[in-house]
């Protein structure tokens, strides 16, 4: 059964499984104890630290293990902000960082700090020059992902690190998505990763802090892992995580090339196979194994279920798939369609045939959801009847994504070219999806006032 | 090779090992995803929560898994303090809580909160009436261990819970040491535990928060485990932890009775076998498997190494075994001897013969250390020479525990009965060990001024 949600979590790598089994009877004692069981645990921990540090590209004494990637980000950001408090209280992040970063930034703001979000382009990428302008004199820390977890776009970390270095600002890189594929280039100061993203066990993150970076871990004092990870280390899991990272790195280049070709196939074929679909993210500067697209007139949750029923496990950034009923902040920051959103992330070893079968199954799954919503291929077809009103209002209040866009599409050709459809929609996804629909269909988005959106019909070919 | 440091960490219980292996291929996906791998992980997590909740004695929806017992304490205390902020900012704890609690209290104080420490008696136990007096009108939270991790003394949790309930103050119980032996009785509000203390894997803690208790998790927002544990759940480890807890509980009563008898033997035999030794902690109201004693004129670190060389892994609260060179805060709060301190905590299944062999090995190990320090059986022997000075000063500045006490013992009979020895000692352990030495040897401790301690010789039998 094909699992295409590698960016969320991977099964344990066979090497990790072996390492876990081998160390579970050796690594259970407290590594800070001087007795032989403690010394044995300490040796395993030290060896794992050496292995992981080599893969990260830092010194072993610069690397701390944490209880998760999220914990590494929390600790890294708050520790670096506290260590640089005298420099100022500005935190610069990209608008498409992982929620763990953005939530930590919220805490910083609630405590009186300042956060500046650097916007991204339509591919989800930041611009190093814009980053440089965001820094300012009072900047304590900048934080940028190596690659985006939802759309796969690779960030210009090396250039951003250079402008940060010039401004004397440490850069924390969230490398959770890219670490399995290789070390992060550039002069970063802190780096965070998460083992279950590379086939290690859950419950292990890592935080590298370069020597010389001012760093003051917050929270209650704890002696373990230089204060970065309160609580007793899960050494067998750490050993397994380090072993898995080394193992995936050995296969990374060949596997990246292979998966990149499969993702290229998905990127090319999906718009051909499924009408009204937008593939998002940078087509070239991207993770090898990840592709995201959105389908007009589709309920993301229903599509996820249809694909699950067909045997495919994928993810989605559509609002209906989130507990808060808001579209993914990444898609929002990119200004791309969020409805009917699907993220496909291929685990290492995914055979070509599975990708082909997925491409065979996808059109039917989308069509089924569209048909169920009354938004089939006929949506938005037919010329405007003669004598049509030049302005129509559609009341889609109380209707959730993708219904407001479906209603809009149904009536757009009821107005003559140049005519206007006003859509009343209180679903938050409409703010993203109505402009994105206009972009995709060539109609003119004229803006919103409150919950009223204005769309002007543009004649085909105009 | 006998491992007698169960209170620090236990090897994986065979049932935990089995559960880990069985779930490692099923529980790696994100339990918040709707796809089949996610649903499978969610089912494992839910089942583990039911099992653990039953053992704890709470509802499954009251129980959160955390990344460690320490993390459970941090989150539990800060969340309960924040939830009760309107009630006041006083935190009441015992003086012998785990350092994770005391360090969290320090953070609370740095943020403007107030901490009241309730003192303990010489056995390490708090008094419920004294606890009631410490609460006061502005008390947000009280925090008491179920049993002490260093000396094994069981606290009167039921009585303390009753006085807290009467005052309307929630009680958080740190049950890390007692949870393997049974649920915590009494009307507690929050409870924390740690899996590697009961034969589960490291990296799993638990925090129970009773319905109706005001609780506001601090730190960055995170949806997992009701906000109590940021980051991705290590589900195979959680499954193993829950399975181990159920398994050890099934054997707990029989094993407790068996180990209690072995500990009773140690408690009785050590003072007979090793002169100048004090067994500490409550002799009856105690954990079944744990006993702590201190040996005069012994360097704790050297004794640990001697026992390790003889094949016994134990722990110590002596200052020389801590990174800060201060004696254990537990022994300090109890006012008992800290030098030559040894904690023996027997894992389930420890055979009687191992305990007997330990009792055979101990006298030689202590004697070896004493001989090395020049403090053999002859210390403090012989009558005062006639015409001895009635006051002697011993300069032990710069000398670390146990040397100041050894110096004192060497000269005490150089003064006549009623005479005084003044000891100059700047080692922090002296503050605890000189009075404790007086208590044990029957001489009169007359107090300290700065680093000068006054001891008056009392004639034997006086």
């Amino acid at each position: 059964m094909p699992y295409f949600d590698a960016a969320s979590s991977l099964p344990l790598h066979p090497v990790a499984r072996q390492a876990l089994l081998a160390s579970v009877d050796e690594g259970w004692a407290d590594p800070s104890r001087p007795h032989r069981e403690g010394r044995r645990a300490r040796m395993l921990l030290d060896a794992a630290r050496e292995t992981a540090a080599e893969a990260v590209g830092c010194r072993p004494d610069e690397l701390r293990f944490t209880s998760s990637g999220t914990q590494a980000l929390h600790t890294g950001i708050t520790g670096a902000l506290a260590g640089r408090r005298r420099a100022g209280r500005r935190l610069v992040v990209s608008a498409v960082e992982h929620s763990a970063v953005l939530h930590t930034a919220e805490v910083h703001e609630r405590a009186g700090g300042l956060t500046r979000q650097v916007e991204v382009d339509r591919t989800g990428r930041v611009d190093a020059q814009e980053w440089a302008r965001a820094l300012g004199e009072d900047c304590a820390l900048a934080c940028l992902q190596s690659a985006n977890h939802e759309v796969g776009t690779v960030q210009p970390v090396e250039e951003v690190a250079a402008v940060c270095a010039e401004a004397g600002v440490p850069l924390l890189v969230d490398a959770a998505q890219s670490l399995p594929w290789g070390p992060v280039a550039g002069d970063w100061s802190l780096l965070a990763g998460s083992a279950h993203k590379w086939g290690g066990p859950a419950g292990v993150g890592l935080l590298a802090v370069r020597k010389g970076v001012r760093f003051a871990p917050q929270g209650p004092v704890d002696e373990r892992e230089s204060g970065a990870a309160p609580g007793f280390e899960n050494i067998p899991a750490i050993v397994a995580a380090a072993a898995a990272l080394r193992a995936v790195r050995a296969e990374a280049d060949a596997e990246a090339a292979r998966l990149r070709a499969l993702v290229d196939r998905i990127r090319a074929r999906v718009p051909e196979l499924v009408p009204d679909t937008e593939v998002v993210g940078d087509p070239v500067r991207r993770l090898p194994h990840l592709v995201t697209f959105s389908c007009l007139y589709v309920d993301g949750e229903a599509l996820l279920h249809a694909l699950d029923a067909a045997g495919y496990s994928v993810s989605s950034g559509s609002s209906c798939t989130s507990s808060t009923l808001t579209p993914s902040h990444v898609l929002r920051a990119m200004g791309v369609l969020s409805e009917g959103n699907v993220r496909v992330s291929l685990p290492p070893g995914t055979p070509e045939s599975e990708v082909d079968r997925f491409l065979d199954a996808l059109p039917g799954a989308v069509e089924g959801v569209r048909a169920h919503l009354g938004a089939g291929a006929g949506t938005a077809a037919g010329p405007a009847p003669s004598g049509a009103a030049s302005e129509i209002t559609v009341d889609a209040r109380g209707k959730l994504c993708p219904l407001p866009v479906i209603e809009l599409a149904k009536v757009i050709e009821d107005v003559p070219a140049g005519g206007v459809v006003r859509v009343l929609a209180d679903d938050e996804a409409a703010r993203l999806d109505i402009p994105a629909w206009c972009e995709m269909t060539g109609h003119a988005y004229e803006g919103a006032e409150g919950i009223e959106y204005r769309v002007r019909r543009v004649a085909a070919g105009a």
Side-chain angles (χ1 to χ4, degrees), chain A:
Chain A
M1 299 284 274
Y3 172 78
F4 287 172
D5 195 16
S8 156
S9 189
L10 279 176
L12 213 55
H13 192 283
V15 166
R17 193 189 165 88
Q18 252 179 340
L20 187 67
L21 286 182
S23 59
V24 89
D25 293 327
E26 299 284 311
W28 51 268
D30 185 340
S32 66
R33 300 279 176 196
H35 49 53
R36 71 185 168 277
E37 291 83 0
R39 294 194 304 267
R40 212 153 60 192
R42 164 67 55 194
M43 280 171 54
L44 286 173
L45 182 59
D46 288 347
R49 198 186 308 279
E50 296 236 358
T51 302
E54 197 189 330
V56 166
C58 67
R59 291 166 31 174
D61 61 351
E62 292 175 331
L63 190 134
R64 294 136 160 103
F65 291 108
T66 65
S67 61
S68 66
T70 295
Q71 194 71 55
L73 288 169
H74 290 177
T75 306
I77 295 170
T78 55
L81 284 172
R84 293 256 307 160
R85 208 185 152 114
R86 281 194 200 165
R89 301 206 62 193
R90 181 190 300 222
L91 169 65
V92 172
V93 301
S94 90
V96 295
E97 293 302 303
H98 191 275
S99 58
V101 170
L102 299 181
H103 289 321
T104 311
E106 284 161 18
V107 172
H108 177 58
E109 288 185 81
R110 280 205 296 276
L114 173 77
T115 302
R116 269 293 306 274
Q117 280 197 9
V118 177
E119 295 305 317
V120 295
D121 64 19
R122 225 181 135 76
T123 72
R125 203 171 147 93
V126 298
D127 174 75
Q129 289 322 304
E130 202 179 321
W131 194 279
R133 284 190 294 276
L135 292 176
E137 295 252 305
D138 58 343
C139 187
L141 177 69
C143 191
L144 178 65
Q145 61 197 189
S146 53
N148 185 268
H149 50 298
E150 289 193 30
V151 300
T153 300
V154 166
Q155 301 293 352
V157 170
E158 227 171 325
E159 290 164 70
V160 165
V163 304
C164 285
E166 197 168 330
V169 174
L171 176 68
L172 185 153
V173 178
D174 171 8
Q177 289 297 333
S178 76
L179 215 50
W181 302 108
V184 174
D187 187 16
W188 49 264
S189 301
L190 303 99
L191 182 144
S194 173
H196 72 103
K197 307 284 191 193
W198 69 65
V204 181
L206 58 80
L207 173 65
V209 182
R210 293 270 192 222
K211 287 285 150 201
V213 172
R214 284 181 196 276
F215 188 69
Q218 298 301 287
V221 174
D222 194 274
E223 289 175 5
R224 298 182 190 278
E225 294 297 309
S226 319
F232 196 90
E233 296 96 340
N234 185 354
I235 293 176
I238 287 172
V239 169
L245 184 54
R246 178 155 61 185
V248 299
R249 280 293 185 76
E251 310 148 357
D253 287 351
E255 192 57 20
R258 208 180 63 78
L259 293 182
R260 182 171 282 277
L262 295 182
V263 165
D264 278 338
R265 187 175 311 175
I266 299 174
R267 293 189 70 94
R269 293 291 288 147
V270 164
E272 296 168 7
L273 293 167
V274 185
D276 296 318
T277 296
E278 183 179 18
V279 177
V280 300
D282 196 297
V284 178
R285 294 173 296 192
R286 60 169 177 81
L287 290 169
H289 66 305
L290 192 155
V291 53
T292 298
F293 52 87
S294 300
C295 309
L296 273 177
Y297 322 130
V298 167
D299 170 347
E301 192 172 13
L303 182 54
L304 239 54
H305 286 302
L307 289 170
D308 182 57
Y312 297 94
S313 298
V314 298
S315 172
S316 170
S318 292
S319 56
C320 50
T321 63
S322 92
S323 59
T324 54
L325 291 180
T326 54
S328 133
H329 71 276
V330 172
L331 303 176
R332 219 158 41 197
M334 293 164 66
V336 297
L337 187 69
S338 79
E339 69 184 40
N341 180 261
V342 171
R343 178 185 73 182
V344 171
S345 49
L346 307 175
T350 302
E352 194 177 346
S353 57
E354 273 187 5
V355 170
D356 287 338
R357 274 203 295 273
F358 171 74
L359 288 171
D360 288 344
L362 181 67
V366 173
E367 212 171 308
V369 176
R370 281 181 178 163
H372 184 75
L373 290 168
T379 303
S386 63
S390 69
E391 196 154 324
I392 290 179
T393 299
V394 173
D395 187 353
R397 285 176 294 180
K399 293 184 178 167
L400 294 180
C401 160
L403 295 177
V405 169
I406 290 177
E407 301 287 320
L408 165 60
K410 274 183 179 160
V411 302
I412 189 72
E413 300 205 344
D414 291 349
V415 297
V420 164
V421 177
R422 294 184 305 170
V423 184
L424 306 179
D426 47 15
D427 178 31
E428 219 189 297
R431 197 157 298 276
L432 186 57
D433 291 341
I434 291 177
W437 178 87
C438 294
E439 178 98 16
M440 286 173 72
T441 55
H443 297 291
Y445 178 63
E446 297 200 326
E449 269 182 50
I451 63 159
E452 181 182 315
Y453 298 83
R454 285 177 62 89
V455 175
R456 186 171 297 277
R457 181 180 172 191
V458 176

